[in-house]
Amino acid sequence: MFLVIKQIKKSFGVGDSRVEVLKGIDLEIERGEFCVLLGPSGSGKSTLLNIIGGIDLNYQGNIFIDNQNIREIKNYCRKHVGFIFQDFNLINWLNVKNNYLLPGFFTKIIYKRAIEDQEEKLELQKLKRKKVRLLSGGQKQRVALLRAIIKNVDILLCDEPTGSLDQENSQAVFELLKKEAKERLVIVISHDENLAIKYADQLYVMENGKLTKKRDSIKTTDKFYCRLKKHAPAN
Ligand code: ADP
Ligand code: MG
């Protein structure tokens, strides 16, 4: 198992105002699986994602990548994790291309090879020299997505990456992320249940600080088997 999460607990506040947001989260994901988390606002999805990504180190429990505790992996977040945040985290006064180059350790060569190909798919080629502050919400989201993808990390964590996109673009983003999931672990927080059910290999719902596996993504297969059974010759 590539990612193993054991009994993650997290609280905010102290004394009487202390609230336990994560109440013991267990999760196991194979490399190459596309995992989607659904759940109401305030249920702790972003909190969990920040912990998985190594941004928030203040939690109980353990997270293992390839059997190694992430607390012990050097530069875990910077080297191994790509993030797409709800609020994009782009630098407004830089142009699009320089935002791609921000994560630092990839070269112009990689830029050419990886980015130009993806830019076309995300319809971003024309925006390269435009300042980020001049982009629409949807455009910013696609830039953030592309920046995270070209960092070429083992784990790609996306916090509502389709939040300000229309249906068509949302679907395109899910297609892209599903493809990315073949080469790296991708976890997406989404509020779009239909897309989640359509694309996820693993589908979970966060509710009241607990994560439950939702079987809807498997239902179509169940139905398929029921139908097969019904039409199977009696013996
Ligand atoms: P979701 O992403 O599912 O909408 P969050 O993980 O952002 O939920 O938040 C879960 C709960 O934790 C919310 O009640 C939120 O107010 C609280 N919370 C999140 N971050 C902090 C923080 N830094 N300090 C205090 N409370 C927080
Ligand atoms: Mg959130």
Side-chain angles (χ1 to χ4, degrees):
M1 202 57 71
F2 181 61
L3 174 73
V4 176
I5 295 177
K6 282 192 177 154
Q7 282 299 300
I8 295 297
K9 292 180 183 170
K10 168 82 188 178
S11 303
F12 288 112
V14 285
D16 287 346
S17 64
R18 185 182 155 94
V19 184
E20 193 173 40
V21 174
L22 302 178
K23 298 174 182 169
I25 303 288
D26 293 310
L27 181 64
E28 294 192 353
I29 309 174
E30 282 288 7
R31 201 191 280 274
E33 275 183 336
F34 185 41
C35 175
V36 181
L37 306 183
L38 295 165
S41 170
S43 58
K45 303 181 298 295
S46 297
T47 302
L48 178 63
L49 211 69
N50 291 344
I51 290 173
I52 295 173
I55 291 179
D56 184 351
L57 303 170
N58 191 12
Y59 58 92
Q60 286 175 273
N62 287 297
I63 300 176
F64 301 91
I65 301 285
D66 263 341
N67 296 318
Q68 217 186 338
N69 197 316
I70 62 167
R71 292 184 204 268
E72 283 146 26
I73 300 175
K74 212 174 157 200
N75 293 325
Y76 166 70
C77 179
R78 195 164 61 81
K79 283 213 172 134
H80 298 279
V81 182
F83 261 104
I84 302 169
F85 293 101
Q86 239 158 341
D87 54 3
F88 320 123
N89 254 36
L90 298 170
I91 310 290
N92 275 321
W93 45 270
L94 287 178
N95 70 21
V96 168
K97 184 178 167 185
N98 285 328
N99 267 275
Y100 295 149
L101 298 172
L102 266 186
F105 49 84
F106 50 86
T107 63
K108 271 192 177 154
I109 298 160
I110 297 180
Y111 174 84
K112 266 201 146 27
R113 184 162 50 86
I115 305 187
E116 282 175 358
D117 189 37
Q118 299 285 6
E119 269 176 344
E120 207 181 306
K121 284 185 203 142
L122 288 166
E123 290 174 25
L124 289 171
Q125 350 36 344
K126 292 194 193 93
L127 302 178
K128 219 178 295 192
R129 276 169 201 88
K130 221 169 170 173
K131 292 271 192 286
V132 162
R133 67 183 151 81
L134 301 174
L135 304 182
S136 72
Q139 289 170 331
K140 281 185 198 172
Q141 215 152 16
R142 280 177 280 149
V143 172
L145 175 69
L146 185 49
R147 186 181 63 179
I149 286 174
I150 56 185
K151 195 178 157 190
N152 200 19
V153 287
D154 299 322
I155 303 163
L156 186 59
L157 303 174
C158 316
D159 200 338
E160 309 215 11
T162 61
S164 47
L165 300 180
D166 58 23
Q167 193 58 31
E168 197 182 323
N169 278 310
S170 297
Q171 178 137 347
V173 166
F174 264 80
E175 294 264 353
L176 204 104
L177 290 173
K178 175 105 187 174
K179 239 178 250 161
E180 284 302 309
K182 293 205 169 81
E183 284 163 46
R184 65 194 95 234
L185 180 74
V186 181
I187 302 178
V188 177
I189 292 174
S190 176
H191 57 269
D192 192 324
E193 203 164 334
N194 292 331
L195 285 178
I197 288 169
K198 185 170 173 192
Y199 288 99
D201 298 315
Q202 295 248 27
L203 190 55
Y204 290 87
V205 180
M206 180 78 87
E207 226 158 356
N208 301 320
K210 287 276 191 183
L211 206 54
T212 45
K213 196 163 188 168
K214 198 177 152 99
R215 294 190 49 86
D216 279 10
S217 62
I218 302 161
K219 258 188 192 159
T220 44
T221 334
D222 287 350
K223 265 190 224 147
F224 179 69
Y225 280 118
C226 288
R227 216 171 51 223
L228 278 183
K229 244 179 166 172
K230 214 167 104 189
H231 295 295
N235 49 6

